């Protein structure tokens, strides 16, 4: 478990602020942050934000009243932002193994509850490993959503992380996470490079292994949301990496029944906060309000069995499908293909993901 010891030192002692990072592998959001999220972030204490190292912005939709778990919550920035989005009746739990990061997060619980005018705290933090959620005291089938922001790549056992996440999710729950992926399986030399590991590159998962692990654990096939090419400007690190390529990608995985749902047509009702006109579900499906859209059996199962069910109108089983629905774009499962497509579209394309930046905020 050299990697765990390394990370505790790297993120607990060596990194005191985002400028201490040695590469730009972990990146900041490319697209403008929605106003309601921007407002929520403004209410997070500056000290918490200064000690935050995350890849992009991981904020799924339809959060009111939800119970959320943040894997590798670090200084707690995302937890405090999500605390406002779930509301006082919801709850956010952050788990992290690093004492220094947890100390920062815990020190500001009372401050944020006063800031949000909550009578009862709806945020809590737990010390533990993301590969051992049950051992950390987290109950099975207890969370609606799990998020993770550039943390899974830091784990030495990624399949175990997915398995533990699956076990603590409720039926219909979602794992929504952003992470770093490689175009091939990395060599042992790269995996054992301590700086590359700490900078979120040495532990990057081959994207095809994510698809396999998710299936073996029981999740629905991962839905690719965004992807963006990672560039490494540090020449020493680039030399060590050779010809390997990396992307930052966001996926959503659901804990829903399999095989019992058929393709159908759906109509988005426009009831999700901040998504009143359209709801980008993934890189394939964007639902516009009151528009009939054909969905495949996989997405049909997700929408009917998850928290999104109340936000859609479904055609009754065996009933008429109504007017011809909008057909979705061809599906993309390769994040490198999506990232290349978005690069060709140039600035302003709807990536919603991550981009290169020198003032990056990175992995926790």
């Amino acid at each position: 478990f050299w990697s765990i010891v390394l990370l505790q030192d790297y993120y607990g002692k060596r990194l005191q602020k985002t400028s201490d990072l040695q590469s730009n592998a972990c990146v900041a959001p490319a697209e403008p942050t929605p106003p309601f999220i921007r407002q929520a972030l403004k209410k997070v204490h500056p000290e918490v934000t200064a000690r935050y190292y995350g890849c992009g912005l991981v904020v799924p939709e339809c959060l009111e009243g939800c119970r959320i778990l943040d894997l590798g919550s670090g200084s707690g920035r995302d937890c405090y932002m999500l605390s406002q989005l779930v509301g006082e009746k919801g709850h956010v739990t952050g788990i992290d193994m690093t004492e220094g990061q947890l100390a920062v997060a815990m020190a500001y619980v009372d401050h944020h509850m006063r800031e949000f005018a909550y009578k009862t705290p709806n945020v809590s933090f737990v010390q533990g490993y993301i590969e051992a959620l049950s051992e950390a005291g987290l109950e099975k089938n207890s969370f609606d959503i799990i998020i993770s922001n550039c943390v899974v790549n830091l784990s030495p056992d990624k399949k175990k992380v997915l398995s533990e996440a699956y076990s603590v999710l409720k039926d219909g729950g979602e794992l929504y996470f952003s992470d770093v992926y490689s175009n091939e399986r990395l060599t042992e030399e790269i995996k054992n490079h301590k700086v590359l590991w700490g900078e979120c590159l040495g532990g990057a998962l081959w994207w095809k292994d994510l698809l396999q692990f998710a299936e073996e654990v029981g999740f629905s096939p991962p839905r690719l949301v965004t992807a963006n090419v990672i560039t490494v400007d540090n020449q020493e690190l680039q030399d060590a990496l050779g010809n390997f390529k990396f992307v930052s990608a966001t996926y959503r995985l659901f804990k829903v029944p399999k095989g019992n749902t058929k393709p159908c047509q759906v109509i988005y009702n426009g009831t999700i906060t901040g998504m009143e006109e359209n709801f980008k579900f993934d890189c394939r499906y964007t639902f516009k309000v009151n528009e009939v859209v054909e969905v495949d059996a996989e997405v049909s199962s997700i929408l009917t069995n998850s928290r999104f069910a109340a936000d859609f109108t479904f055609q009754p089983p065996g009933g008429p499908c109504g007017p011809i629905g909008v057909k979705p774009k061809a599906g993309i499962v390769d994040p490198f293909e999506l990232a290349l497509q978005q690069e060709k579209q140039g600035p302003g394309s709807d990536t919603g993901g991550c981009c290169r930046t020198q003032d990056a905020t990175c992995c926790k």
Side-chain angles (χ1 to χ4, degrees):
F1 286 95
W2 68 267
S3 61
I4 292 177
V5 175
L6 163 69
L7 294 175
Q8 287 176 326
D9 177 73
Y10 203 80
Y11 290 95
K13 298 176 182 177
R14 289 184 58 180
L15 292 185
Q16 297 300 313
K17 53 189 181 300
T18 56
S19 59
D20 292 334
L21 293 164
Q22 311 251 339
S23 78
N24 64 341
C26 295
V27 287
E31 290 298 301
T33 304
F36 71 99
I37 296 176
R38 195 160 57 243
Q39 288 301 315
L41 287 171
K42 284 181 179 178
K43 292 185 178 182
V44 178
H45 194 282
E47 178 65 15
V48 170
T49 301
R51 290 291 301 272
Y52 170 83
Y53 318 113
C55 161
L57 189 65
V58 182
V59 187
E61 314 81 8
C62 196
L63 303 180
E64 294 90 342
C66 286
R67 289 182 55 83
I68 299 179
L69 173 64
D70 183 2
L71 301 181
S73 53
S75 67
R77 188 202 74 166
D78 285 354
C79 290
Y80 289 124
M81 178 261 295
L82 291 167
S83 164
Q84 301 167 73
L85 303 184
V86 300
E88 197 165 4
K89 293 182 179 179
H91 192 274
V92 182
T93 301
I95 182 169
D96 203 280
M97 67 179 181
T98 311
E99 289 185 10
Q101 289 283 75
L102 280 172
V104 174
M106 292 177 174
Y108 292 97
V109 172
D110 290 342
H111 165 84
H112 287 99
M113 295 307 102
R114 289 193 301 271
E115 179 72 19
F116 307 157
Y118 290 170
K119 295 179 180 179
T120 305
N122 73 340
V123 177
S124 60
F125 295 96
V126 177
Q127 184 167 13
Y129 300 108
I130 62 176
E131 305 89 349
L133 301 179
S134 298
E135 290 181 22
L138 302 179
E139 296 182 8
K140 295 183 183 299
N141 306 306
S142 60
F143 292 97
D144 299 293
I145 304 166
I146 297 176
I147 67 162
S148 174
N149 197 339
C150 202
V151 170
V152 176
N153 73 85
L154 300 172
S155 168
D157 190 347
K158 296 165 181 61
K159 184 177 178 181
K160 182 65 172 174
V161 174
L162 295 183
S163 177
E164 286 289 291
Y166 188 88
S167 72
V168 302
L169 276 174
K170 299 176 183 177
D171 290 340
E174 177 184 14
L175 170 59
Y176 184 99
F177 70 115
S178 177
D179 222 291
V180 177
Y181 296 92
S182 59
N183 63 329
E184 297 179 50
R185 288 197 183 99
L186 300 178
T187 64
E188 290 303 312
E189 182 179 4
I190 290 177
K191 289 180 181 179
N192 291 323
H193 192 295
K194 293 183 178 180
V195 174
L196 287 176
W197 190 282
E199 294 283 326
C200 304
L201 294 172
L205 188 66
W206 182 34
W207 69 270
K208 289 187 177 181
D209 280 340
L210 172 66
L211 307 187
Q212 180 180 335
F213 290 167
E215 180 180 6
E216 292 173 353
V217 165
F219 278 112
S220 62
R223 309 293 307 188
L224 178 61
V225 182
T226 66
N228 214 6
V229 173
I230 288 173
T231 59
V232 180
D233 291 339
N234 183 305
Q235 190 59 50
E236 182 179 351
L237 296 183
Q238 183 60 67
D239 291 342
L241 291 169
N243 294 323
F244 285 102
K245 295 181 174 63
F246 300 86
V247 292
S248 168
T250 299
Y251 284 95
R252 54 194 333 161
L253 286 62
F254 289 85
K255 183 178 180 177
V256 295
K258 298 176 182 62
N260 298 323
T261 310
K262 297 179 180 180
C264 70
Q265 294 184 341
V266 301
I267 303 171
Y268 174 51
N269 301 328
T271 49
I272 298 176
T273 300
M275 311 286 167
E276 289 81 7
E277 295 300 320
N278 59 73
F279 165 32
K280 181 180 177 182
F281 178 71
D282 59 14
C283 68
R284 186 181 185 193
Y285 289 97
T286 295
F287 301 104
K288 294 182 180 179
V289 67
N290 297 327
E291 184 175 73
V292 181
V293 179
E294 294 183 8
V295 297
D296 57 32
E298 206 175 278
V299 173
S300 177
S301 177
I302 290 171
L303 295 180
T304 55
N305 291 286
S306 70
R307 68 187 186 280
F308 297 117
D311 300 300
F312 285 84
T313 299
F314 301 87
Q315 301 294 346
C321 288
I324 299 299
V326 174
K327 294 183 181 296
K329 295 180 291 186
I332 298 177
V333 295
D334 182 344
F336 288 87
E337 180 185 344
L338 179 62
L340 181 61
Q341 182 183 104
Q342 292 175 161
E343 269 199 338
K344 288 181 178 178
Q345 292 173 349
S349 63
D350 184 20
T351 65
C354 303
C355 70
R356 168 183 167 186
T357 173
Q358 293 297 334
D359 298 317
T361 55
C362 183
C363 317
K364 299 175 180 69

